[in-house]
Amino acid sequence: MTTGKGEKIGSALAKAVKAATGITAATFGGKMFRTNIRDVPKVEGLKRDDGWIDMQVQFLIDKRSAGAGHVVGWTVLKPGASHEQHLHRNCDEFFIVLKGHGHIITDKGLEPSGEGDVVYSPRGVWHGFNNTSNEEVVLVWGWMGAGSIEDSGYENPPGGHKP
């Protein structure tokens, strides 16, 4: 049996990782986590003063539920709802518009956004989303580098949000 170049490289990398860290595939551990959106409660206590305006938010995967160092979430914004401008000091964020349209809130103002848009906000970048339509907007989103809102370094603009 011959070994291909890719297999040789992969084997060498595995040996190097094991030698440097003691980690093998068997010691990575962890378990697969599976949930269903119907089984995940909506987040309670999101305050309008913190920029959470008429939003339904679910943390599908996070530190609490899956021991994860990131968050995967689901948000429904009713017509007129908004996640006002905010940033995360400790994580990057992405969101995908699955349904509906509105505006992305940027540090330079508002930009139109709709179904199929994928938006990435590196840590420390102001961002948000307004539903300006007559239909619900559905977003799937994630924080990379933080498993909870506390870990994310969530921050409002200086002076807070205007009523």
Side-chain angles (χ1 to χ4, degrees):
M1 179 168 102
T2 60
T3 304
K5 188 175 183 180
E7 290 172 322
K8 287 179 184 177
I9 292 170
S11 178
L13 284 172
K15 287 177 186 175
V17 168
K18 182 178 179 184
T21 66
I23 296 173
T24 65
T27 61
F28 275 122
K31 292 189 275 182
M32 182 180 287
F33 177 78
R34 178 181 174 174
T35 192
N36 188 292
I37 193 165
R38 292 181 297 270
D39 300 328
V40 177
K42 292 177 179 72
V43 176
E44 299 288 330
L46 298 175
K47 298 177 185 166
R48 189 177 192 90
D49 290 347
D50 288 334
W52 307 85
I53 301 172
D54 299 327
M55 298 172 57
Q56 297 175 359
V57 178
Q58 293 169 279
F59 288 11
L60 305 177
I61 297 171
D62 62 1
K63 184 182 347 184
R64 185 188 56 75
S65 65
H70 59 273
V71 173
V72 175
W74 182 271
T75 294
V76 177
L77 295 104
K78 295 179 180 178
S82 179
H83 192 183
E84 295 293 311
Q85 189 177 54
H86 65 283
L87 61 75
H88 306 275
R89 290 273 173 218
N90 305 326
C91 67
D92 302 331
E93 181 174 347
F94 74 88
F95 65 84
I96 303 166
V97 182
L98 297 180
K99 176 183 170 189
H101 64 275
H103 286 104
I104 301 166
I105 301 168
T106 73
D107 57 351
K108 295 181 173 91
L110 302 177
E111 296 180 15
S113 180
E115 289 180 27
D117 280 352
V118 179
V119 178
Y120 171 70
S121 297
R123 60 193 71 207
V125 172
W126 294 103
H127 62 280
F129 194 94
N130 288 333
N131 180 355
T132 58
S133 74
N134 293 324
E135 300 177 12
E136 288 184 342
V137 168
V138 177
L139 307 174
V140 65
W141 54 272
W143 294 333
M144 297 161 291
S148 69
I149 192 165
E150 296 80 15
D151 294 345
S152 77
Y154 185 91
E155 197 174 299
N156 288 309
H161 297 286
K162 297 179 175 99

